[in-house]
Amino acid sequence: MNNPTHAAAPSVVGLVNAQCPSAHRLLSRPAPRAVDTQAPRIRPRVLCLRIICSCHFSPLDVIYKDLTRSHVRGAALPPSSSNLSSCRLVGPVRRHWRGGAHPPAALLAGGRGPSLPGPALCPIKLSDVTGARVRTAGVGAGRAGAVSGSRAAAVTWPGPSAEGHVARLWRLTMRGGQGAARAPVLQFTNCRILRGGALLREDLWVRGGRILDPEKLFFEERRVADEQRDCGGRILAPGFIDVQINGGFGVDFSQATEDAGAGVALVARRILSHGVTSFCPTLVTSPPEVYHQVLPQIPVKSGGAHGAGVLGVHLEGPFISREKRGAHPEAHLRSFEANAFHDILATYGPLDNVRIVTLAPELGRSHEVIQALTARGICVSLGHSVADLRVAEEAVRNGATFITHLFNAMLPFHHRDPGIVGLLTSDQLPPGRSIFYGMIADGTHTNPAALRMAHRAHPQGLVLVTDAVPALGLGNGRHTLGQQEVEVNGLTAYVAGTKTLSGSIAPMDACVRHFLQATGCSVESALEAASLHPAQLLGLEKSKGSLDFGADAGHLHLW
């Protein structure tokens, strides 16, 4: 596995524990450090500091915003030398008073008052969320205003260079989750999170299945986490999305049964262990009665502890090329007649649960079908086709956005007519339109050189798919795939009695690792090819495929 391409920034949250009779903050001012002002900017760090003081109150939580460190990428110090340089105290504060009705004078403004009691210097230990000790320093007792009704106080103390530093303490209350009439807040610590195409050493905050903005949590709701989970320094990534999976663990989605939903549920449970949290159950070419019986049993369903979510069904066939049918049974292939969309409805039945349809764009009247399907919010994919580049470009102009398992079951690339493959670099697509393409990175379907070519030509459109068959997880032997029998030998599945490949038996996490190794891409790129890109294909990028604030956090996985 390759190392991340971006330097990891220090953790966003730290804790200070000071056993001292006076509660103050350390704001050291090291020598200025040269930074790359042209580097892309990222969000400032936020540090939650906790001081425990034995004289007046315990504990005191204060939020600082780091104005320089992590503000310019590349300027962040490693955790071993982290400090509170150039931090602004912005609140909030949680205080629990002991021994009197009034808070200590140090926390409230007014006229100048006497120095606080206590030794001249008090030890402070600064730790990040890993619990590692990163700095020990001293702060002196400062002077503060007398008690008054003001909301803030200026507290000064001598710094390492004997200069006075000023911090401002805001009289706000940070609420814990206990007793609150809202979902608990979970904080993942000691992790690298995939966000914005980079691996960032930040914490991840989750509540009610959604990712939180910690600054809003701190400053607007004034809350802290109810529970912390240490990720052991590993990568925390969004769940994978598999938009082409024919079954697995003995379940064949293309078999007409009375309990098709139970089979989908079984696969949904089993693929969670491979990082897949959403998927599109895929039906290969079948007779109409199979579609009519199976499709109503596979509704869109949210994921959770019970299994991966169902995003809608992927119908691969029967409107495909006979010449490039692959493992699809020729007897059930169909073409479009005079009323093309009526043929779609007659074959599939109601389309309520359908998310993707793969068809061959060279079939007569296919443009009518593409337009009708996209108007209903169904993604149209080009595959199992002998279309040339011109026909493929016209299909994209009509609304097609996806290519089913690039290089497989289509005309091979030719320098005078690259066919569907040429869509990756075509300059004839509508402005702002991007094409996505599926890749089966199982080590069998696509040569590593072909994987590298596709990825380098159009990395933003690459979507990893498994194209897994019911034999996934079962080993060698004979199994079914719709109306055909499949024979598995080692890592390869063939239509029984032939040398025609019939799907894959590799799970998604194995495909991601093989893709990473074969292409030499970054870890970020490999993970996004199985999460963000399929989410973008389906128009779900605001809720799935990323760890952005507000995104779905129902399932995350460590890498």
Side-chain angles (χ1 to χ4, degrees):
M1 185 178 296
N2 291 8
N3 292 323
T5 56
H6 301 295
S11 173
V12 297
V13 177
L15 295 177
V16 169
N17 291 302
Q19 301 295 341
C20 61
S22 57
H24 306 297
R25 306 300 172 272
L26 173 65
L27 295 181
S28 60
R29 296 183 181 273
R33 177 176 176 174
V35 298
D36 178 10
T37 59
Q38 300 302 315
R41 293 182 179 273
I42 58 177
R43 298 175 65 89
R45 273 189 307 173
V46 175
L47 300 100
C48 176
L49 310 178
R50 174 165 296 174
I51 285 184
I52 299 176
C53 175
S54 61
C55 60
H56 290 293
F57 54 87
S58 175
L60 170 66
D61 286 356
V62 183
I63 305 301
Y64 284 91
K65 179 176 287 188
D66 189 334
L67 301 182
T68 58
R69 304 297 176 188
S70 296
H71 190 58
V72 179
R73 186 168 295 162
L77 295 174
S80 61
S81 59
S82 180
N83 56 47
L84 302 183
S85 62
S86 300
C87 287
R88 175 179 296 168
L89 180 60
V90 293
V93 174
R94 178 176 69 181
R95 295 189 294 271
H96 301 279
W97 308 113
R98 297 189 308 180
H102 299 289
L107 300 179
L108 297 173
R112 295 180 61 84
S115 298
L116 294 176
L121 291 178
C122 306
I124 287 181
K125 187 173 101 172
L126 169 64
S127 300
D128 65 12
V129 292
T130 65
R133 180 174 176 178
V134 294
R135 184 181 175 94
T136 299
V139 298
R143 300 181 64 83
V147 175
S148 74
S150 177
R151 296 178 60 83
V155 182
T156 63
W157 63 87
S161 59
E163 298 178 355
H165 300 302
V166 178
R168 193 165 291 278
L169 305 181
W170 298 94
R171 296 182 62 191
L172 302 173
T173 302
M174 176 172 287
R175 297 189 297 263
Q178 295 85 352
R182 60 185 69 185
V185 175
L186 175 62
Q187 178 188 4
F188 293 93
T189 67
N190 188 20
C191 56
R192 290 177 292 160
I193 65 174
L194 179 63
R195 178 176 290 160
L199 289 173
L200 308 177
R201 190 172 291 279
E202 295 184 0
D203 291 1
L204 190 73
W205 302 71
V206 175
R207 177 176 60 197
R210 296 290 175 185
I211 297 174
L212 297 177
D213 182 342
E215 290 193 21
K216 290 184 177 180
L217 183 73
F218 294 149
F219 304 144
E220 296 179 10
E221 300 185 37
R222 305 170 192 175
R223 293 188 64 188
V224 292
D226 300 280
E227 180 183 354
Q228 290 185 340
R229 293 184 184 177
D230 192 318
C231 298
R234 298 166 68 185
I235 295 173
L236 191 60
F240 297 147
I241 302 172
D242 193 351
V243 299
Q244 186 176 6
I245 173 172
N246 308 288
F249 316 103
V251 175
D252 188 342
F253 297 149
S254 300
Q255 288 283 324
T257 63
E258 297 297 332
D259 59 348
V264 172
L266 186 151
V267 173
R269 289 195 303 272
R270 298 289 296 273
I271 60 179
L272 276 180
S273 63
H274 297 288
V276 178
T277 59
S278 301
F279 70 113
C280 292
T282 304
L283 273 65
V284 296
T285 295
S286 303
E289 55 268 23
V290 171
Y291 298 116
H292 295 172
Q293 183 172 353
V294 172
L295 286 179
Q297 299 185 60
I298 313 180
V300 174
K301 185 177 182 180
S302 299
H306 59 275
V310 177
L311 301 177
V313 177
H314 181 170
L315 300 175
E316 185 185 6
F319 300 98
I320 58 176
S321 166
R322 294 183 182 274
E323 183 180 345
K324 292 295 181 180
R325 65 183 183 276
H328 292 245
E330 184 175 9
H332 300 297
L333 298 182
R334 299 174 67 91
S335 58
F336 301 120
E337 303 299 333
N339 191 341
F341 191 67
H342 180 269
D343 293 335
I344 286 282
L345 296 177
T347 300
Y348 298 141
L351 302 176
D352 298 341
N353 298 333
V354 177
R355 197 59 180 260
I356 304 174
V357 172
T358 293
L359 55 78
E362 71 273 14
L363 296 180
R365 300 183 180 275
S366 64
H367 65 285
E368 300 175 16
V369 173
I370 295 173
Q371 293 172 358
L373 289 172
T374 55
R376 287 163 173 77
I378 296 174
C379 170
V380 174
S381 185
L382 310 180
H384 289 276
S385 168
V386 293
D388 58 23
L389 179 58
R390 181 189 60 81
V391 171
E393 290 171 337
E394 181 64 24
V396 174
R397 285 191 286 269
N398 284 317
T401 56
F402 192 42
I403 302 172
T404 298
H405 45 51
L406 188 75
F407 298 124
N408 289 275
M410 61 185 61
L411 291 179
F413 178 88
H414 191 279
H415 60 283
R416 282 192 286 273
D417 188 347
I420 291 178
V421 177
L423 289 175
L424 273 62
T425 56
S426 174
D427 59 358
Q428 299 300 310
L429 304 185
R433 182 75 59 82
S434 179
I435 192 74
F436 291 90
Y437 59 98
M439 296 291 289
I440 309 172
D442 63 348
T444 300
H445 277 78
T446 312
N447 186 278
L451 284 173
R452 289 190 292 271
M453 288 175 58
H455 179 253
R456 292 173 188 177
H458 185 31
Q460 294 80 15
L462 194 148
V463 174
L464 288 176
V465 300
T466 61
D467 197 19
V469 295
L472 171 67
L474 298 184
N476 294 343
R478 291 213 167 192
H479 310 274
T480 65
L481 176 59
Q483 309 302 304
Q484 307 224 83
E485 197 170 51
V486 172
E487 187 168 3
V488 174
N489 184 9
L491 301 177
T492 308
Y494 298 103
V495 175
T498 74
K499 288 298 181 180
T500 300
L501 288 175
S502 180
S504 168
I505 55 172
M508 181 61 84
D509 54 347
C511 290
V512 172
R513 289 186 173 90
H514 177 73
F515 176 74
L516 179 67
Q517 180 182 17
T519 62
C521 69
S522 65
V523 174
E524 297 94 321
S525 294
L527 293 174
E528 288 188 339
S531 54
L532 178 62
H533 295 177
Q536 291 172 332
L537 165 69
L538 300 177
L540 301 173
E541 65 273 16
K542 293 190 179 299
S543 60
K544 297 185 181 298
S546 77
L547 299 183
D548 292 338
F549 302 138
D552 184 3
H555 274 297
L556 308 168
H557 69 276
L558 294 174
W559 186 259

